[in-house]
Amino acid sequence: MIRKRLLRTYWWLERRITPGVKSSQDTYAQLVKAHVTDTTRWLDLGCGHQFWPEGIPGGRETACRAALCVGLAPDLASIRQHTALRHRVVGLQLPFVAGSFNLVTANMVFEHLEDPVAVLTDIRRLLTPDGICIFHTTNAWYWQTVLSRYVPQSVKNWLVQLSEGRSADDVYPTHYRINTHEAVRERAQAAGFEVREVTMLNTSSAGRILLLGPFVVLELLWIRLTQQPWLSRHRTNIIAVVTPSAQPMGVR
């Protein structure tokens, strides 16, 4: 009961302080849906048990529309619950032949990569020349992300469980090696990609009130301030769209 009241309070505050800010997950989902057709061969990396949160519709329908839909995740128990997938692969490697896919996606995965250039290079190998990679990740310059680097992993697990309802088994170590606007461009180009778009955006998240209590008002005021273009580098999330470069690898 208390949790529900806190969440209702958050939605009331958000509508008044940051009108127009929506879930970055919704923005990501709409972008992915727009790129899936009946000729799409789609690989979703780090898929876990769903493409995006349950409150966002269309995951199963989008997967069914694709010619091929494959999910890859390191956790067998989690991927088994992903009923929208036709094909599931468990592991950290990409055991596919070159040119297998024309769409690769990753939702809140790239912040966990120790070597994003190596992973992106492998993704480029998997993509057709006209393929596309879309990834959604956290922004390293968002103030909570900056502070989280100094928080022990056990505490992070507890905070995520409190604010998002995820178990500790569903929380992985973070490295933030490709988590700024500049890093996305640098790492993607190093892996042989052209950067089509890097969108810095804020996200709606009711879980903030569970973490911050009354200080959530200051957080919402900060989000409102970072809606100004000159502070975009401090927004909460990043959505990037990259495509294989026509230039040979190593030529820049």
Side-chain angles (χ1 to χ4, degrees), residues 42-92:
W42 176 17
L43 172 64
D44 191 37
L45 297 178
C47 60
H49 62 278
Q50 56 194 8
F51 295 118
W52 40 72
E54 294 176 1
I56 301 173
R60 183 180 299 277
E61 292 79 5
T62 305
C64 289
R65 186 165 66 247
L68 173 68
C69 183
V70 180
L72 182 146
D75 182 47
L76 175 60
S78 179
I79 201 171
R80 273 180 171 171
Q81 301 175 46
H82 200 322
T83 58
L85 282 174
R86 303 181 196 175
H87 307 282
R88 303 174 182 85
V89 178
V90 178
L92 293 172

Side-chain angles (χ1 to χ4, degrees), residues 101-104 127-133 193 196 241-244:
F101 303 95
N102 52 18
L103 174 65
V104 174
L127 281 170
T128 57
D130 62 344
I132 189 169
C133 174
F193 281 96
R196 181 182 296 183
V241 180
V242 300
T243 56

Side-chain angles (χ1 to χ4, degrees), residues 99-119:
S100 295
F101 303 95
N102 52 18
L103 174 65
V104 174
T105 60
N107 188 10
M108 304 306 283
V109 171
F110 274 37
E111 65 271 21
H112 302 292
L113 301 181
E114 291 189 68
D115 189 348
V117 174
V119 174

Side-chain angles (χ1 to χ4, degrees), residues 93-177:
Q93 305 302 315
L94 303 180
F96 310 102
V97 299
S100 295
F101 303 95
N102 52 18
L103 174 65
V104 174
T105 60
N107 188 10
M108 304 306 283
V109 171
F110 274 37
E111 65 271 21
H112 302 292
L113 301 181
E114 291 189 68
D115 189 348
V117 174
V119 174
L120 279 168
T121 300
D122 213 10
I123 290 173
R124 185 180 186 274
R125 177 186 66 81
L126 300 181
L127 281 170
T128 57
D130 62 344
I132 189 169
C133 174
I134 303 171
F135 61 91
H136 173 214
T137 188
T138 54
N139 176 21
W141 285 112
Y142 173 51
W143 73 268
Q144 286 191 31
T145 308
V146 173
L147 289 181
S148 74
R149 299 181 190 186
Y150 305 98
V151 176
Q153 188 62 44
S154 59
V155 177
K156 290 183 186 178
N157 293 353
W158 178 80
L159 291 173
V160 169
Q161 186 172 7
L162 174 66
S163 62
E164 301 179 21
R166 286 192 284 150
S167 67
D169 293 338
D170 198 28
V171 182
Y172 296 91
T174 48
H175 302 285
Y176 305 117
R177 304 272 168 82

Side-chain angles (χ1 to χ4, degrees), residues 27 31 137 181 197-201 232 235 237-241:
T27 302
L31 182 61
T137 188
H181 187 286
E197 183 178 357
V198 180
T199 303
M200 311 297 295
L201 69 167
S232 63
R235 292 173 186 168
N237 290 67
I238 300 171
I239 296 177
V241 180

